[in-house]
Amino acid sequence: MTDAVGSIDTPDAQDELPESKKKARKGGKRAKKGPLKRLATFYRQIIAELRKVVWPSRNQLTSYTTVVIFFVAIMIALVTVIDYGLNHAAKYVFG
């Protein structure tokens, strides 16, 4: 019995690959290198990525640091006020 694709009993032509086209994998790239070579490659890749980073100038770094410290100070004040208010509310409710 045949349908639009082909016979049910025989596979399609694109499913069959000649034996010369099939390659057996032997573990990929990791199997070819020892652990120390892989570690050295890893560190070389880290250094290569760090060279791509656009580092901020001293003025930018100073302004970013100032903004972060200011924001943290505001958040500390906010949490302190909320904590103080909840503390007094709990003392009022529970005696």
Side-chain angles (χ1 to χ4, degrees), residues 6 8 11 32 49 59-60 63 67 87:
I8 295 174
K32 297 176 185 175
E49 288 297 322
N59 290 336
Q60 289 174 330
S63 64
V67 167
N87 187 17

Side-chain angles (χ1 to χ4, degrees), residues 57-93:
S57 67
R58 184 172 292 272
N59 290 336
Q60 289 174 330
L61 189 62
T62 305
S63 64
Y64 296 160
T65 305
T66 305
V67 167
V68 168
I69 290 173
F70 184 69
F71 179 75
V72 168
I74 289 175
M75 293 308 294
I76 288 172
L78 180 66
V79 169
T80 303
V81 168
I82 291 172
D83 183 50
Y84 183 75
L86 288 176
N87 187 17
H88 281 287
K91 284 182 181 178
Y92 177 76
V93 170

Side-chain angles (χ1 to χ4, degrees), residues 10-32:
T10 60
D12 293 334
Q14 69 259 16
D15 291 340
E16 293 180 20
L17 290 174
E19 293 298 324
S20 63
K21 296 278 184 178
K22 293 181 183 178
K23 292 173 87 174
R25 294 191 68 182
K26 295 183 180 180
K29 294 179 181 177
R30 290 187 186 187
K32 297 176 185 175

Side-chain angles (χ1 to χ4, degrees), residues 29-48:
K29 294 179 181 177
R30 290 187 186 187
K32 297 176 185 175
K33 296 180 181 178
L36 292 178
K37 286 188 178 184
R38 288 196 312 240
L39 190 62
T41 302
F42 176 70
Y43 283 118
R44 276 196 301 269
Q45 289 173 349
I46 288 174
I47 291 169

